[in-house]
Amino acid sequence: MSDIFRQRPLRLLFTGNFVSMLGSGMNAAALNWYVLQITHSEISLGTLILLQTLPMLFLAPLTGVVADRVDRRMLVMAMDGIRALIICSVAALCLLHRVTLFELYGMSMVVSAATSIFWPTMTALTQELTSSKQYVTANAMLMGGVQGGFLVAGALVGFVYNRVGLGGILFVDAATYLVSLICYGMLRKGRHLIVHPAEKGIDRGIAAQLLEDILACMRYLKGNTYVVLLCTCSAIVFAAIFAQNVVMAPLADLVLHSGAVGFGWINAAWAVGALLSGGVVPLIVRRFGVKASVTAATALVAAGCMAAPLSGRLRFALLIFLVIGAARGVSIVGVNSGLMQVVPKHYMGRVQNAFAIVSRLMQMLLGMALGIIAHSAGLTAAFAALGLTYFVAAGAAAVSGSQSRIFKETPLQPVTAESI
């Protein structure tokens, strides 16, 4: 891990990511709590998840191609700039007491669209800047930044929300994006692209190039069962992560009776677990392999979700979410590391997004389903449905096979990043 921090580009990348995740975590928690408090409806939270999913769904076929065709550093900077601008605008409306659900839903859709482009680009950029021996550690650091940001956010938002309200928290979020922009801007100079040798010098029209890029990714995935099933597991896990926001705030409010402070502690608990797992996940993945690590960790998340609404007291719920956070950290890092080890760099963005449409559809349907189940059958039933979803993801990882059995041919190696 010390080798990672000695590399200036990676140090700046992870610092910028951590700071922006701090604001994003506060934004997400405060927005969910605000919507619940003014509507008193889990279905309204499900609607929020639905509207956050739609932009990702429509942009999914394009985001991977874009991430593989442009300078990834400039693209993540552009997405952070867009998010900072829209969030700052809505924060001003909040402070003027003129914000409505319409503006909040609109902000969520724009931020979601930018995020759908940002994350595959960030993962591809991390792979681009990291040597193959450091993939697991780099992924642990990347996820550690996410979880560390959410950890601080979770510890703060429950206390800060009652003092500064949604508007103040949104301004903090916008400021964190400005800090991340500075870090990414200092990462390197010039325009850098990853180009496959066979594609150098080929000049096609935009539409033809887009179609060829998508078809090339489909040809790559055909027969690569290991990659397909790992991506399937990842798609289900991320759909469940986003959809579970529908039931987290109601759990703190209706079951644990702990209000905004309890909601903050719950967010902090799973973030602490994920952050603690970052130090040991490289050892776990290397010792047991990607398939076993991801399968066991995802199954543990499923069991934790089913147990959460039965905890009865906040202290017991925090222990459960601590375990969930640690297991989910192992699952995400394991999947990303497994993909980085086998997917060529010039395909990384497209491979991630090949399954993004399925993930977004699941997120949209699961979010609405959890809201309806919670409203009609109770939170225990909703968390049981969420746990079953994670069990399906664990099953996909369990039957993924092994890399050595699946890949009989060595994929073409991309050229290194070059200045253009």
Side-chain angles (χ1 to χ4, degrees):
M1 192 169 292
S2 60
D3 292 339
I4 295 288
F5 277 111
R6 280 198 290 266
Q7 300 177 51
R8 184 173 181 270
L10 290 175
R11 189 167 63 246
L12 288 168
L13 186 75
F14 296 143
T15 300
N17 182 62
F18 169 79
V19 174
S20 67
M21 286 302 103
L22 167 62
S24 296
M26 295 184 69
N27 182 335
L31 182 60
N32 288 334
W33 187 257
Y34 182 84
V35 170
L36 179 66
Q37 291 301 295
I38 65 174
T39 64
H40 304 287
S41 171
E42 293 91 349
I43 295 179
S44 295
L45 288 175
T47 302
L48 178 63
I49 299 298
L50 171 64
L51 294 175
Q52 289 173 337
T53 305
L54 288 176
M56 297 181 177
L57 180 63
F58 288 114
L59 289 173
L62 304 177
T63 52
V65 175
V66 171
D68 287 338
R69 285 291 173 181
V70 303
D71 185 322
R72 290 158 176 171
R73 178 183 69 100
M74 298 301 297
L75 188 55
V76 298
M77 291 178 65
M79 295 305 102
D80 273 6
I82 291 172
R83 289 186 287 185
L85 182 62
I86 188 65
I87 290 171
C88 192
S89 300
V90 175
L93 291 177
C94 288
L95 295 185
L96 294 173
H97 304 289
R98 299 180 62 181
V99 72
T100 67
L101 278 178
F102 178 80
E103 288 84 17
L104 295 177
Y105 285 159
M107 176 190 72
S108 295
M109 292 181 71
V110 175
V111 171
S112 174
T115 302
S116 70
I117 298 174
F118 175 87
W119 272 112
T121 309
M122 174 61 75
T123 304
L125 180 60
T126 302
Q127 184 197 35
E128 177 185 331
L129 296 172
T130 309
S131 68
S132 59
K133 295 181 180 179
Q134 296 176 322
Y135 283 157
V136 176
T137 304
N139 267 290
M141 291 298 301
L142 182 63
M143 289 301 106
V146 176
Q147 311 302 346
F150 272 84
L151 162 62
V152 179
L156 290 177
V157 70
F159 305 100
V160 175
Y161 181 86
N162 291 331
R163 292 180 176 272
V164 302
L166 180 62
I169 288 176
L170 292 181
F171 270 124
V172 171
D173 188 20
T176 61
Y177 282 123
L178 296 180
V179 174
S180 67
L181 275 170
I182 295 173
C183 290
Y184 300 149
M186 297 169 58
L187 193 149
R188 66 188 181 195
K189 296 180 179 180
R191 183 166 173 256
H192 295 248
L193 300 178
I194 292 290
V195 184
H196 192 282
E199 295 176 335
K200 293 191 69 175
I202 298 178
D203 186 17
R204 304 185 182 97
I206 296 177
Q209 183 64 68
L210 175 62
L211 179 60
E212 176 56 32
D213 285 348
I214 293 174
L215 292 175
C217 181
M218 292 175 65
R219 289 192 295 268
Y220 169 76
L221 289 172
K222 185 178 180 181
N224 285 344
T225 309
Y226 178 76
V227 173
V228 169
L229 288 173
L230 274 187
C231 287
T232 300
C233 174
S234 177
I236 297 172
V237 166
F238 277 102
I241 288 173
F242 282 103
Q244 76 180 34
N245 290 326
V246 174
V247 293
M248 293 289 282
L251 175 69
D253 192 32
L254 302 176
V255 175
L256 303 177
H257 307 291
S258 54
V261 174
F263 184 45
W265 280 118
I266 288 174
N267 281 285
W270 69 255
V272 168
L275 189 61
L276 293 176
S277 73
V280 298
V281 66
L283 299 176
I284 293 174
V285 173
R286 293 190 184 108
R287 172 66 178 84
F288 299 102
V290 169
K291 183 176 77 169
S293 300
V294 172
T295 301
T298 311
L300 186 57
V301 173
C305 287
M306 291 181 169
L310 305 177
S311 56
R313 295 180 179 273
L314 180 60
R315 65 173 70 93
F316 297 136
L318 294 181
L319 180 60
I320 291 173
F321 281 104
L322 185 76
V323 174
I324 289 176
R328 200 162 68 184
V330 174
S331 176
I332 293 173
V333 172
V335 168
N336 285 345
S337 301
L339 293 176
M340 283 188 178
Q341 290 167 359
V342 299
V343 178
K345 293 182 179 180
H346 61 285
Y347 277 137
M348 193 62 183
R350 281 169 281 180
V351 166
Q352 290 182 93
N353 282 276
F355 291 83
I357 295 178
V358 176
S359 180
R360 303 317 178 195
L361 279 172
M362 286 189 58
Q363 175 184 330
M364 180 174 61
L365 296 174
L366 183 60
M368 290 302 298
L370 291 179
I372 294 171
I373 294 171
H375 187 76
S376 59
L379 281 173
T380 301
F383 271 95
L386 181 64
L388 287 174
T389 303
Y390 278 111
F391 272 125
V392 173
V399 300
S400 62
S402 63
Q403 174 190 342
S404 59
R405 241 187 4 250
I406 299 300
F407 290 96
K408 297 180 180 179
E409 297 180 359
T410 302
L412 291 174
Q413 295 296 317
V415 297
T416 58
E418 61 182 37
S419 299
I420 297 179

